[in-house]
Amino acid sequence: MKEYAAAALARQFPTREQFDAFYSLLTDEQKDELLRVGSYYLFLVKQGDWHVDVDNSNPVVDYITNSFKLVSLFSLIESMSGERHQDFYDWLQCHPDKVFPIPDRAALEVLHEQYKSTFGSIRRCVAFFERLAPSRQAELLKVVTFNQQPAKSIKHVAQFLYNLRSKFVHEGEFVLDLASLPVMSQHKNAITMTSLSMDTLLEIFEEGVVAQFRHPT
């Protein structure tokens, strides 16, 4: 598995000696986790194209394989968080005196937003992107625009990418926004322009993995 992890993160460590030096500084628990994440990433995402065997179709269709890769990426990001998963209903049950009764749908929506910002999956994903180098974060703010305006924060970008993942998982909507050319689309009430390829996103993920192991929280 160490060979797989080294191959997965080869762009971050130009020589094998550099990877081995990084690996040697980790605790035994961290080493096990790096081997897990690295090998899963290599097979599921980096070298894990989704192949189809259909007449008159290419064996690899970019928007199909990108959809599955994005789901796998966010699954790995969530799995690296040390926080135990807690669904929305369990979260509500932990605060019965402050929550119940819930008077209406609007109040429920407010509670759901509080849950997402304090304990939901998206919070763990935002934290991952916030570990990126400032220069990389600044780059990401420019590659996704909303109504011709750059993203307001790295959180905004992370939420946008997570929502693309969720649209595919829950509604079967393919991820079309990650491509080699800029893509214009509409999400909620915003016209978005995305200039982010899957390969660039993979490189960003690799940087985030290294950052997380260098500065664990």
Side-chain angles (χ1 to χ4, degrees):
M1 292 178 70
K2 187 177 179 182
E3 297 299 323
Y4 295 150
L9 299 174
R11 284 189 287 196
Q12 306 305 310
F13 302 98
T15 68
R16 179 55 188 266
E17 289 74 19
Q18 289 175 310
F19 174 82
D20 288 340
F22 168 74
Y23 183 80
S24 68
L25 296 175
L26 303 178
T27 65
D28 288 343
E29 184 178 354
Q30 288 175 319
K31 288 177 180 176
D32 288 343
E33 180 68 353
L34 180 66
L35 297 183
R36 181 190 70 83
V37 172
S39 59
Y40 283 19
Y41 167 65
L42 182 67
F43 283 90
L44 290 174
V45 185
K46 192 167 187 176
Q47 302 298 334
D49 286 334
W50 183 271
H51 286 254
V52 297
D53 184 10
V54 179
D55 291 341
N56 302 316
S57 173
N58 291 329
V60 177
V61 181
D62 58 356
Y63 62 84
I64 296 177
T65 197
N66 286 350
S67 299
F68 285 101
K69 286 185 177 185
L70 191 63
V71 172
S72 296
L73 277 180
F74 275 103
S75 294
L76 288 171
I77 289 172
E78 290 182 57
S79 75
M80 284 188 287
S81 172
E83 295 182 7
R84 180 181 60 83
H85 174 70
Q86 186 178 43
D87 64 29
F88 181 44
Y89 180 74
D90 288 340
W91 182 82
L92 290 174
Q93 292 286 10
C94 290
H95 310 82
D97 296 337
K98 298 180 180 179
V99 170
F100 299 108
I102 301 173
D104 52 35
R105 184 182 181 87
L108 181 61
E109 288 293 334
V110 170
L111 289 169
H112 192 235
E113 288 300 317
Q114 291 176 2
Y115 161 75
K116 289 193 296 183
S117 66
T118 60
F119 211 90
S121 298
I122 197 167
R123 177 175 175 268
R124 290 177 282 177
C125 297
V126 169
F128 179 87
F129 282 88
E130 288 177 338
R131 289 191 182 90
L132 295 170
S135 59
R136 180 62 91 175
Q137 292 191 40
E139 177 186 330
L140 278 171
L141 296 184
K142 297 176 183 178
V143 299
V144 183
T145 63
F146 302 85
N147 294 328
Q148 300 182 325
Q149 298 297 318
K152 297 177 181 178
S153 66
I154 196 65
K155 178 180 178 181
H156 201 188
V157 177
Q159 289 176 327
F160 171 73
L161 294 173
Y162 188 85
N163 287 339
L164 293 180
R165 165 260 182 212
S166 297
K167 282 283 188 179
F168 177 60
V169 170
H170 300 298
E171 300 177 27
E173 187 172 313
F174 286 118
V175 176
L176 305 177
D177 300 74
L178 301 177
S180 57
L181 297 174
V183 177
M184 178 180 289
S185 58
Q186 182 166 351
H187 295 275
K188 297 184 179 180
N189 296 322
I191 300 298
T192 64
M193 178 69 77
T194 310
S195 303
L196 179 63
S197 69
M198 176 55 72
D199 188 61
T200 299
L201 182 58
L202 298 191
E203 187 172 6
I204 291 168
F205 172 79
E206 294 162 17
E207 291 175 9
V209 169
V210 173
Q212 181 148 330
F213 280 93
R214 279 182 171 152
H215 307 287
T217 54

